[in-house]
């Protein structure tokens, strides 16, 4: 059944297999099937092609490797350990999937140097890879010189059948074909087995033809279990095709080598079992104990790291020449790689005063984004075909397109989920690029998988989400967000900011651009709001602050966010005239407020003032935390309706009159 | 520029265009471009092919028509009005997008008889159509007899470029090809213009080849503006291909007929303006006032309704024969169409006692689902490739496959978003089918667009979502939901139920199956829980109930959901031993509880008892509503970690010990 038992190549491949088999068995949990089948392609790729340096996992010009089929995590850990990445010691692998082991169930970029992105949710990794290929091509266009190709490497992924079925990868791969991302090479581990059985059950499309339709270069390796030269030749060929992304269909057998479980879905997500492992050892001629790596194998695999270190050394020499000939460009690129924002970049942000004409916060956002783009050249992004509505066009830049990859406006198309995953790839590429993306707030539903992954993997993506309430108006409930602010605030490690006016919008951009290890979502309005007197750009970072206080101890606190802050301000004026002492709190970001210390939070929302009214044109979920048992909210807990925006607001009680009424009720 | 000015066909097409143009102009809001370009195909389809009866919009064997490009809503409203659907009067069109007009911004099935589904979020409609085609083929397989094809009609959609770019439609269309859904015919309005400009910007894939790869039959009509016979011939041809879904690419000009805006993205989402409308009237030779429909046009269009009524009459005769020859089948089909559950169906649900061995609620769910499937033959669905983990296999049924469409297990594949949208189509098909679908709770993120649309369109889909907390364990944070319960509870009109044991799981299924106009999501555990003494299946419908009370007035209320209820029960026992009077409340569903009257809610959570502790292995968002200012929660507001499930629970404080500790703290 197996060939070349004794060749060093085959022994390395078996080492990858058995580290995976034994770690999964020890954990009594995990996915052995993919590592066993994909070990040959992974070995060929890493040994003969992949330029990575375990000693410097942040090397700019390293090849990027993404295991899109993240459930096969042990394959990646085995590769890392054997290639000499110190962040993945053998002990971690022995403790695969145990508490505090960095060999976690699925690969997590935040835990392990050299793991580029967090994968596991299917389709994300291959879509992240599209983002990385955009980043590579963009930086190459901006920085390379004919004699100094300082950014010139490949992005490799291993993807499985599941990744191919997910819509997010369809979106991202369609865009990759459009852009002609020649540096992107996907090794498709085509084992035709998913958890529920053979792909015959559900997935009989012609995948090669589909990718050909996207504009990809497609090859097939019929025997991915044995044909190492075929795999290598296909990768060579893929590298030679520079104007198209490449898909290499590599036909493999899941759990290859297991006499009774090879080719069966039973090996997908469960340990093989001691008996079957013993049989597999015999079958593959692997007489070593669990986690034992023969010296010759380790030596052969460690060459990967040594080769990578040499490659980086060579590149460093190139870069030294670049520094000499193009010192300004070199300095700028070094700044980017350090992830350092340009000195004084905030000067690009507009300032506003109450005398300025009121405007929709989406328009103010457009001004802030353009202002920031002028001083922050690493800002790059676009909209999912709503640039005119989202106000995200960079007026001084051009579209990023095939042959014009230096453009900063990414033409995402109507592909929200792909857009989100691509931005994660751009953010995690590791060269300081700051991706932003945009659609209507309601359509965050389409890209929530990618937003969560950004939060989980510390990707500093900026989401510009406009049309942030029922005030969208005529488009009706399909386009009117109601539950979205709450649903997004629930995601850990995501900044959600809903600015009230120009100053707060500028403040939101400052937070977003400075948050390089945390994604930030800015919710913006379609309708106009006034520029308020006491708002402050600098206050946004604290999440909430006292906007105004009447004389004397407050009887009531009005809490407003975004477009509803001005309602609170006006209502407070009416209530003050009635002799009531009112505090108005602006709360652009619950998530940022929660990160403040207890003393600050108490200073904004003192325990003693229990009559509190929160006003937000969204659902009430989450607001009881701030209004407490004796408080109330002006919110909307149903879907909206198709009518002009101002009328929608009025209908659902978002008026000064109703805020005054509810506040009065509250005070009894 | 235009031809056949005087033909009645062309006049009808122009009537569709001008109703759209004038309604958008009157509303100063909307999308005129698509209706103007797609009017010819819509006219040909409706006039020559579509069997619909305005007098009986629930006729089982009607053709289904879905405007997937929902922003072109005026086209659908114009078709409906002209064809004689009384639910869409001219007055509604004159009040397009105004409050209380049924001619809403995007089509809403809950408002207008004959509008099959709610569209607007791109890609949903065409995916709903896949669900409808599955429903048609499934019912045909179950009920048709050689001489009585009582279910035998087509599902037509008009989709635009945006629908083609969305991942959800990629997923659904791939499955449609796999299943060979020959009754599904998509007219693709290929105008190559989206909101941001020409599709050249971002969407240059070979769409025909892509659909061919999916296994679709693909045709092209080059001149969709004029070639009515070509459109008709293509539809005829598509109907004749019975083993593949059909895509007809129809090349059109957006805003056809507008001298200055035709072919431009400026016409996509904004009124043409009075001056341009006047020029368009002249250009298309349409001398009528806004909303004026010439008699000959109305007469010609009203024939659509008359033809449909005749078609239904003919079908009724067929059905009468069917009733005579197959009375049992006829009766069953009539029951389905009435949406009436089988008498005594709940007998299929298992019952549990505290003596039963504890189990994971996902396993109990599998028992309930299988039990219900035995007595509710309209239950049909499956998992996104996690059937073994979700426990959703119907043991007594088989896969629904090409040539075996009577099977009740739908092989959705790794296509969560497509799965959700397909289920919406099955639910809204209108023949009583009850779709269920399943994945891990964390991956509701992938299908949230479809879940929201179900809630918005009253689609009684059942979501079986397992692995509902960090107790997932080793798979780690990518697979451990934390924020999902909160995020789902925020969606209006969605039942979210997290049962605590066998009885509550059965109760959850009862609610879900009886909720025919509202989707229900059931969150289920991977880990085992005991069967508790005082839980009740019948209590689930109230959302929350008193599980137990100590003697004497409660000093503390412990609120538990799902797997954490048993922690509360055990903690209460410990606290009682310490002499504290404790009430335990089981709250399987906040959403159902919120629908109870004030008196009932007060009886469960009396205002006077302010010391409350909620325990849920999810984030705290939403819980302050129930625990109030003096309460607290045992929850988790961060991403989880990769470790065995029991250890995860312990690490994050989900232990009896910690619940007791927190309760004690609360009581000071």
């Amino acid at each position: 059944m197996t060939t070349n038992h004794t060749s060093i190549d085959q022994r390395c491949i078996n080492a990858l297999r058995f580290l995976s088999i034994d770690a999964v068995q020890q954990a009594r949990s995990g996915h052995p099937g993919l590592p066993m089948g994909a070990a040959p392609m992974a070995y060929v790729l890493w040994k003969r092609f992949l330029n990575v340096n375990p000693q410097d996992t942040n090397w700019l010009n390293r090849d990027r490797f993404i295991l899109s089929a993240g459930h096969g995590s042990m394959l990646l850990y085995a590769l890392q350990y054997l290639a000499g990445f110190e962040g993945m010691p053998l002990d971690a692998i022995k403790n695969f999937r145990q508490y505090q082991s960095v060999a976690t169930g699925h690969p997590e970029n935040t835990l392990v140097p050299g793991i580029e992105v967090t994968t596991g949710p299917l389709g994300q990794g291959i879509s992240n890879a599209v983002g990385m290929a955009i980043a590579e091509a963009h930086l190459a266009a901006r920085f390379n010189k004919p004699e100094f190709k300082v950014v010139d490497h490949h992005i490799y992924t291993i993807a499985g059948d599941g990744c191919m079925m997910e819509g997010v990868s369809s979106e991202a791969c369609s865009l990759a074909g459009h852009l002609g991302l020649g540096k992107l090479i996907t090794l498709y581990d085509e084992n035709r087995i998913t958890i529920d059985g053979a792909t015959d059950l559900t997935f009989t499309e012609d995948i090669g033809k589909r990718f050909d339709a996207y504009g990809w270069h497609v090859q097939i390796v019929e025997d991915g279990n044995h044909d190492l030269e075929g795999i290598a030749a296909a990768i060579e060929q893929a590298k030679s095709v520079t104007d198209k992304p490449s898909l290499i269909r590599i036909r493999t057998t899941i759990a290859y080598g297991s006499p009774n479980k090879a080719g069966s879905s039973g090996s997908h997500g469960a340990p093989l079992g001691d008996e079957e492992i013993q049989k597999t050892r015999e079958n593959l001629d692997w007489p070593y104990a669990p986690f034992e790596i023969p010296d010759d194998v380790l030596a052969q695999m460690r060459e990967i790291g040594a080769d990578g270190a040499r490659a980086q050394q060579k590149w460093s020499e190139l870069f030294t020449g670049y520094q000499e000939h193009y010192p300004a460009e070199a300095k700028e690129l070094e700044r980017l790689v350090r992830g350092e924002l340009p000195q004084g970049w905030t000067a690009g942000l507009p300032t506003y005063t109450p005398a300025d004409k009121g405007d929709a916060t989406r328009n103010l956002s457009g001004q802030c984004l353009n202002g920031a783009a002028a001083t922050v050249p690493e800002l790059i992004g676009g909209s999912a075909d709503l640039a005119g509505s989202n106000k995200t066009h960079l007026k001084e830049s051009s579209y990023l397109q095939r042959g014009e990859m230096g453009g900063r406006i990414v033409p995402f198309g109507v592909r929200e989920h792909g857009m989100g995953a691509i931005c994660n790839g751009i953010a995690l590429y590791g060269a300081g690029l700051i991706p932003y993306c945009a659609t209507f707030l309601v359509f965050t539903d389409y890209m929530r998988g990618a937003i969560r992954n950004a939060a989980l993997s510390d990707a500093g993506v900026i989401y510009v989400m406009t049309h942030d309430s029922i005030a969208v108006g005529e488009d009706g409930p399909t386009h009117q967000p109601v539950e979205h602010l709450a649903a997004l605030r629930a995601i850990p490690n995501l900044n959600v900011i809903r600015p009230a006016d120009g100053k707060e919008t500028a403040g939101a951009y400052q937070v977003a651009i400075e948050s390089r290890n945390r994604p930030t979502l800015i919710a913006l309005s379609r309708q106009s709001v006034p520029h308020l007197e006491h708002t402050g750009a600098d206050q946004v970072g604290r999440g909430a602050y006292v906007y105004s206080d009447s004389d004397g101890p407050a009887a009531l606190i009005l809490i407003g966010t975004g477009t509803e802050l001005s309602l609170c301000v006006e209502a407070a004026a009416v209530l003050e005239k009635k002799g009531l002492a009112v505090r108005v709190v602006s709360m652009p970001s619950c998530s940022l407020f929660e990160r403040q210390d207890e003393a600050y939070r108490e200073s904004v929302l003192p325990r003693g003032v229990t009559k509190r009214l929160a006003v937000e044109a969204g659902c009430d979920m989450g607001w009881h935390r701030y209004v407490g048992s004796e408080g109330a909210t002006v919110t909307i807990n149903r879907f909206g309706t198709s009518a002009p925006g101002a009328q929608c607001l009025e209908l659902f009680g978002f008026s000064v009159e109703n805020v005054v009424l509810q506040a009065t009720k509250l005070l009894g």
Side-chain angles (χ1 to χ4, degrees), chain A residues 182-200:
Chain A
K183 297 288 186 70
L184 175 61
I185 297 175
T186 294
L187 279 57
Y188 167 27
D189 175 38
E190 192 172 353
N191 62 31
R192 299 196 187 174
I193 295 291
T194 65
I195 291 176
D196 278 356
T199 52
D200 289 355

Side-chain angles (χ1 to χ4, degrees), chain A residues 566-620:
Chain A
S566 65
L567 285 186
C568 292
V569 172
E570 287 184 62
V574 175
L575 292 164
E576 279 174 14
K577 277 190 192 148
K578 295 185 179 184
L580 289 163
V582 180
R583 165 173 286 193
V584 176
V585 167
S586 177
M587 192 178 268
S589 176
C590 307
S591 25
L592 291 169
F593 185 61
E594 287 304 309
R595 283 191 216 113
Q596 307 307 307
D597 61 31
E598 170 68 27
Y600 179 74
R601 284 185 281 132
E602 173 68 19
S603 76
V604 176
L605 297 174
R607 220 172 296 266
V609 188
T610 58
K611 304 293 182 184
R612 302 173 180 185
L613 184 69
V615 187
E616 180 169 83
C619 71
D620 68 3

Side-chain angles (χ1 to χ4, degrees), chain A residues 42 92 129 152 201 286 293 297 319 332 374 462 502 521 542 581 632 660:
Chain A
D152 182 16
L201 263 179
W286 190 256
I293 302 297
V297 167
F319 195 74
E332 174 70 352
I462 301 173
L521 183 143
R542 312 197 78 166
V660 169

Side-chain angles (χ1 to χ4, degrees), chain A residues 295-368:
Chain A
D295 290 345
D296 62 332
V297 167
L298 195 63
Q300 168 86 355
M301 290 298 290
R302 286 285 151 97
E303 281 173 16
I304 293 170
D307 290 347
R310 275 190 294 275
Q312 180 170 2
Q313 181 53 40
K314 207 172 142 195
W315 177 85
S316 295
E317 287 157 20
L318 180 81
F319 195 74
T320 303
Y322 183 71
Q323 284 172 312
E324 281 164 20
H325 290 80
Y326 302 98
E329 288 87 340
K331 214 174 148 194
E332 174 70 352
L333 186 53
E334 288 176 304
R335 178 185 70 76
L336 286 181
V337 173
R338 282 196 307 274
E340 202 177 279
L341 289 167
Q343 287 243 321
W345 75 269
T346 54
L349 290 175
T351 55
Y352 300 94
T353 75
D356 292 324
K357 190 164 177 297
D359 206 345
T361 54
R362 65 169 168 161
N363 288 326
L364 302 167
S365 164
Q367 294 162 11
C368 291

Side-chain angles (χ1 to χ4, degrees), chain A residues 32-55:
Chain A
L34 181 133
M36 294 167 74
M41 71 180 78
Y43 172 72
V44 170
L45 175 64
W46 278 56
K47 187 73 183 72
R48 303 202 200 173
F49 295 94
L50 197 75
N51 276 319
V52 287
N53 181 4
Q55 306 307 315

Side-chain angles (χ1 to χ4, degrees), chain A residues 234-520:
Chain A
I235 297 173
E236 276 298 356
Q237 176 68 15
K239 289 178 70 172
S240 77
V241 176
T242 58
D243 61 344
K244 291 179 172 189
S246 274
L247 181 76
I248 308 176
R249 299 172 59 183
I250 307 182
R251 301 295 316 275
T252 66
T253 304
I254 193 169
Y256 177 87
S258 160
N260 299 302
K261 296 200 171 173
S264 103
S265 61
S267 68
H268 194 293
L272 297 184
D274 288 327
E275 192 182 332
E276 186 65 16
I277 290 174
Q278 189 48 43
K279 287 183 183 156
T280 307
R281 282 198 143 72
E282 287 159 19
N283 188 42
L284 291 179
D285 193 14
W286 190 256
Y288 308 103
F291 308 110
E292 180 185 346
I293 302 297
D295 290 345
D296 62 332
V297 167
L298 195 63
Q300 168 86 355
M301 290 298 290
R302 286 285 151 97
E303 281 173 16
I304 293 170
D307 290 347
R310 275 190 294 275
Q312 180 170 2
Q313 181 53 40
K314 207 172 142 195
W315 177 85
S316 295
E317 287 157 20
L318 180 81
F319 195 74
T320 303
Y322 183 71
Q323 284 172 312
E324 281 164 20
H325 290 80
Y326 302 98
E329 288 87 340
K331 214 174 148 194
E332 174 70 352
L333 186 53
E334 288 176 304
R335 178 185 70 76
L336 286 181
V337 173
R338 282 196 307 274
E340 202 177 279
L341 289 167
Q343 287 243 321
W345 75 269
T346 54
L349 290 175
T351 55
Y352 300 94
T353 75
D356 292 324
K357 190 164 177 297
D359 206 345
T361 54
R362 65 169 168 161
N363 288 326
L364 302 167
S365 164
Q367 294 162 11
C368 291
L369 183 66
N370 272 281
T375 51
V376 184
E378 55 265 44
L379 205 52
I380 167 178
S383 162
D385 195 48
L386 288 169
S389 297
N390 301 143
K391 310 295 176 190
T392 48
H393 251 306
L394 301 185
K395 296 192 182 80
E396 303 297 319
S397 192
S398 57
Y399 271 108
L400 178 152
Q401 290 288 7
R402 182 192 290 260
E404 301 158 23
M405 293 299 291
R408 291 165 65 186
I409 305 170
V410 183
F412 287 116
V414 189
R415 304 183 182 101
E416 297 83 4
H417 201 176
M419 172 173 77
I422 286 169
C423 284
N424 289 350
I426 295 174
L428 297 175
Y429 176 80
L433 292 176
I434 303 179
Y436 71 90
C437 62
T439 181
F440 290 160
L441 181 63
V442 79
F443 297 131
T444 51
D445 280 348
Y446 272 50
M447 55 189 293
R448 207 170 150 90
I451 295 174
R452 183 180 210 256
N453 228 31
L456 183 53
S457 55
D458 294 351
V461 178
I462 301 173
Y463 306 101
V464 180
M465 295 297 164
T466 70
H467 296 60
D468 72 348
S469 78
I470 51 165
V472 162
E474 292 91 342
D475 272 348
T478 52
H479 287 55
Q480 294 170 348
V482 168
E483 71 277 27
H484 298 78
L485 291 167
L488 290 160
R489 287 172 185 147
I491 300 177
N493 201 41
L494 172 68
N495 296 326
V496 177
I497 310 180
R498 188 166 185 248
D501 66 355
K503 282 176 279 179
E504 285 196 0
T505 304
Y509 271 90
Q510 179 156 358
V511 170
I513 288 171
E514 288 174 350
S515 292
R516 290 300 83 236
N517 296 312
R518 178 177 286 157
T520 301

Side-chain angles (χ1 to χ4, degrees), chain A residues 51-201:
Chain A
N51 276 319
V52 287
N53 181 4
Q55 306 307 315
D56 182 3
T57 56
N58 293 322
W59 170 32
L60 169 64
N61 202 46
R62 69 191 182 277
D63 287 329
R64 305 305 193 267
F65 173 76
I66 295 177
L67 183 68
S68 189
H71 53 279
S73 56
M74 259 315 306
L75 176 62
L76 177 54
Y77 306 151
L79 286 161
Q80 276 207 322
Y81 163 63
L82 293 174
F85 284 77
E86 288 171 13
M88 185 54 67
L90 189 57
D91 264 357
I93 290 174
K94 288 179 182 169
N95 287 295
F96 178 53
R97 290 182 161 235
Q98 306 310 302
Y99 182 50
Q100 292 185 322
S101 168
V102 295
T104 48
H106 294 83
E108 295 181 47
N109 66 305
T110 56
L111 300 179
V112 187
I115 290 185
E116 305 285 356
V117 296
T118 291
T119 55
L122 293 174
Q124 297 293 331
I126 183 172
S127 307
N128 299 157
V130 174
M132 293 215 172
I134 288 173
E136 195 267 357
H138 176 74
L139 290 171
R142 280 180 56 194
F143 288 99
N144 284 359
K145 303 292 174 188
E147 69 283 32
F148 296 104
K149 297 199 168 162
V150 291
V151 181
D152 182 16
H153 65 84
H154 287 82
I155 292 88
Y156 296 102
T157 66
I158 292 181
D161 293 298
C163 288
M164 294 294 154
M165 276 189 262
E166 291 285 6
V168 59
S169 57
S170 294
E171 293 177 9
C173 292
S174 170
L175 183 59
H178 169 78
L179 293 175
L181 301 173
K183 297 288 186 70
L184 175 61
I185 297 175
T186 294
L187 279 57
Y188 167 27
D189 175 38
E190 192 172 353
N191 62 31
R192 299 196 187 174
I193 295 291
T194 65
I195 291 176
D196 278 356
T199 52
D200 289 355
L201 263 179

